[in-house]
Amino acid sequence: MKLNYNGEDLSPFLKIVKVNRGILPERENSRYEIPKLSGSHYSRYRYKEKIIPVEIIIISNDINLVRRALASFLDVKQPEKLIFDDEPDYYWMAVPDGAIDLEEI
């Protein structure tokens, strides 16, 4: 599987090991209780933001070059298009979140 983010094809730098797009984003249901009645009344729902964990392996002999390249591609100010090659006509508006660690073995 290949990955394109922010207009950049990242496949020359990495191989995707695992990606979890799930089925739906986390769903939050709203309910309210009615005094003197058992249970609650369902009123509505909303979807929270979707988190897509991606596990990769760097495919280069020069890890420092790849580290710098990936840092420049991933350092965005706003959500950018994330496209997986198995669904090229579909994209996610995505922004990296949390620490992006690189384990060297």
Side-chain angles (χ1 to χ4, degrees):
M1 179 182 300
K2 294 182 181 180
L3 177 70
N4 185 298
Y5 181 66
N6 193 16
E8 297 288 340
D9 178 13
L10 302 183
S11 59
F13 303 103
L14 53 88
K15 178 181 177 185
I16 295 178
V17 176
K18 187 164 101 175
V19 61
N20 183 355
R21 287 174 272 185
I23 296 172
L24 289 171
E26 183 180 347
R27 181 176 166 144
E28 183 178 83
N29 296 310
S30 296
R31 312 170 277 290
Y32 59 90
E33 292 185 17
I34 300 173
K36 299 183 183 180
L37 292 179
S38 298
S40 62
H41 180 74
Y42 176 83
S43 63
R44 65 179 190 87
Y45 71 91
R46 75 178 188 95
Y47 288 118
K48 294 185 173 186
E49 64 190 12
K50 185 170 185 87
I51 298 172
I52 304 173
V54 178
E55 189 175 318
I56 63 166
I57 294 176
I58 303 296
I59 50 174
S60 174
N61 292 331
D62 189 348
I63 192 124
N64 292 321
L65 174 69
V66 173
R67 180 192 331 256
R68 287 188 292 275
L70 288 175
S72 69
F73 298 151
L74 297 175
D75 186 22
V76 295
K77 305 289 185 225
Q78 61 190 19
E80 300 290 347
K81 286 184 180 179
L82 172 66
I83 303 168
F84 295 97
D85 72 334
D86 64 342
E87 292 184 296
D89 297 331
Y90 189 82
Y91 65 88
W92 305 87
M93 293 305 291
V95 62
D97 189 33
I100 301 172
D101 295 326
L102 180 62
E103 182 178 342
E104 297 179 51
I105 300 175

